[in-house]
Amino acid sequence: MNGKKLNQIIASILINSIYAMKNYPILLINTLLAPLSILVIIVFISRGALLGVGIEGALIMTMISAGIGLQGDLSHLKNDFKLQDMVVSSPTSAFIYMFGMGISELVFSIPVILLLSILAVLFLHLLVIQWIILIIILLVVFLFSISLGFFLSTLTTDVMQSWGFTGLISTLLSTVPPVYYLITYIPKPFQYIAYLSPTTYAAEIVQSTTGYLKITQLNFLLDWIILIIVTLIIFFISIKKSKWRED
Amino acid sequence: MESIKCKNLSKTYHGGKKALKKITFSFKGNGIISIIGKNGAGKTTLIRILSTELMPTSGSAYINDIDIIKTPELIREKIAIVPQEARPIHWLSPKQNIISYLMYRGYGFFESMEKAKTALKKVSLNSNLNKINRVLSGGTKRKVLVATVLSSGAKIIFLDEPTTGLDPISRNELWDVLNKLKKDYLIILTTHYLEEAERLADKVGIIDNGKLLAFDSIDGLRKKIKYNYSLKVQGDFPKLKSYHGKVIKGIDNNYQILTNEEGSYILSKIFIKKGIRFSTNQISLEDIFYYMVKKPITEERVEEDEW
């Protein structure tokens, strides 16, 4: 990657996270609260039994939140400040803009990721291979969520519309699917609904890798295949179909 | 030397609306081109196509001899745009706003910081470097955006209705800024303030219903319509045998007569004789605009006067 592209990525990070956090530090507290609040509820209700699953779920939720946040932020920047129009007419490409904005959401989530990582070290006691799988899954979920966020943001023409998408994605990807708990807690017929969300597959992989959920090797393999295919499809759709230079 | 050229540029939106119809014009050098027209005339569509944001349906467009439709990436380092309704990002300061934008253009952080300071000084905003954009006045916000694009190194700047919604003082301040800058840049601005175009533009494009009705200097436009005087009549419009020119309905639906020097003299004499209150001025861009956009209504004049 050349210096120009790196500067273009940093521009998004500055706008959407560093300067935002510098000028409004309260945002830092907000990013911490969302994933942690559900974690606390899950731990209290399960009397601590689901602490490990909850930490893993909160990490997945943080990655999904990045995409949800990206969708809202991009829509706000595009429709209210016309930033995207200014960037389209600049040397920055759609991919670099999306990548930079995606990373900016990750930078924004650094405090919560750090906190959850500390909790994971303290309570999960993972082996190196388990850490590697967890990190890979988080990266795949992150790619999926920012691709979806970018795609939806280019379709929205108003922040109100964007809020509609935010609620929908949040419910479909992080509340309905068994991210903070095990899929076995869901009655059988409803499990099929949970499988409509890619985060269910991500959670299953992580939970089975860390020993909280027992699934067959075939199931494990299928989870990977489905998660990767869905992510790649959404990624390519977001690149191809997103409105950058409008026609 | 900067240049812009488009030929038969047309745009039909997906819903079937024809926004531009075979727009053709060219310009070489620095200065300000002002595209004027009513709301929905096609000004923004034209600017968005020229700034490579929007694809035309047909036609060609070149900036500095680069085909911007086929190879937009080759021109993007040389152009910059302030879109209509753009605002500096609320949670940033003017300096942070410019630094981020410059980094999108590929500049490094420290270079951007220096350029931001220089650009804000250029538009007399050095005292607002670190304030949050949200608290700035409307005029100052627009100046921040102008400073943002000026600092980019782009020599061709598109400003889509940069003064809409500003109070007269802020508008005048921005005009002063643009007037100072026009010798170093090619600025293409759209406006529906005719006074703005008259004050700033080296060339004016009048666009109506997607068609470019004229593209010329204000003097050129005056010559084009053959009249150089405008008589505005107050009160009831008189019925005359000859108006020695064209009658148009101008601003506030008041009738006015566009005429030449001789006609102006004759009509003035008649009006004085009949005690009709009127004023006469050299034809303005506003008169030209109304003449071109609204049909002259001489043919509608009622019964001829006896005298």
Side-chain angles (χ1 to χ4, degrees), chain A residues 104-125:
Chain A
S104 79
E105 298 293 340
L106 212 51
V107 171
F108 210 80
S109 304
I110 284 175
V112 71
I113 292 171
L114 277 176
L115 186 66
L116 289 169
S117 301
I118 291 166
L119 290 175
V121 170
L122 290 176
F123 297 106
L124 292 180
H125 310 295

Side-chain angles (χ1 to χ4, degrees), chain B residues 131-151:
Chain B
K131 282 184 184 167
I132 295 293
N133 286 328
R134 192 172 49 80
V135 302
L136 302 176
S137 69
T140 310
K141 283 178 186 165
R142 291 296 164 92
K143 279 190 193 169
V144 171
L145 289 173
V146 171
T148 302
V149 289
L150 290 177
S151 61

Side-chain angles (χ1 to χ4, degrees), chain B residues 30-192:
Chain B
N30 292 337
I32 295 182
I33 298 174
S34 183
I35 308 291
I36 61 174
K38 295 184 286 188
N39 288 330
K43 306 184 294 291
T44 296
T45 302
L46 178 61
I47 286 271
R48 294 190 75 214
I49 290 173
L50 294 176
S51 62
T52 74
E53 272 180 56
L54 182 69
M55 283 290 284
T57 309
S58 61
S60 60
Y62 295 83
I63 292 178
N64 292 357
D65 296 322
I66 293 169
D67 186 334
I68 62 157
I69 292 158
K70 286 183 187 147
T71 52
E73 64 283 356
L74 297 181
I75 198 63
R76 285 180 176 150
E77 288 204 3
K78 297 182 178 72
I79 62 169
I81 183 171
V82 177
Q84 196 181 126
E85 293 170 11
R87 289 182 291 166
I89 296 162
H90 278 174
W91 57 88
L92 306 184
S93 69
K95 194 170 86 181
Q96 291 170 340
N97 208 87
I98 297 179
I99 290 171
S100 315
Y101 179 72
L102 290 181
M103 292 186 77
Y104 276 124
R105 301 195 67 97
Y107 292 103
F109 179 77
F110 294 106
E111 194 183 357
S112 301
M113 200 145 73
E114 284 311 308
K115 278 176 167 282
K117 282 183 198 163
T118 312
L120 287 165
K121 204 174 172 185
K122 234 179 198 176
V123 296
S124 317
L125 285 182
N126 24 345
S127 59
N128 291 300
L129 284 177
N130 297 312
K131 282 184 184 167
I132 295 293
N133 286 328
R134 192 172 49 80
V135 302
L136 302 176
S137 69
T140 310
K141 283 178 186 165
R142 291 296 164 92
K143 279 190 193 169
V144 171
L145 289 173
V146 171
T148 302
V149 289
L150 290 177
S151 61
S152 66
K155 286 290 172 193
I156 300 171
I157 309 284
F158 297 92
L159 303 174
D160 196 358
E161 297 187 8
T163 57
T164 299
L166 294 187
D167 64 79
I169 294 170
S170 305
R171 197 182 300 159
N172 266 292
E173 282 175 3
L174 197 55
W175 287 349
D176 288 341
V177 169
L178 294 175
N179 250 330
K180 276 182 210 159
L181 295 168
K182 70 179 192 180
K183 64 178 191 300
D184 300 319
Y185 296 88
L186 170 54
I187 299 170
I188 297 105
L189 73 86
T190 69
T191 182
H192 40 231

Side-chain angles (χ1 to χ4, degrees), chain B residues 226-229 231 244-245 258-266:
Chain B
K226 295 173 193 158
Y227 305 112
N228 46 10
Y229 281 89
L231 275 88
H244 302 275
L258 304 186
T259 182
N260 55 25
E261 203 168 346
E262 193 191 349
S264 168
Y265 175 72
I266 296 167

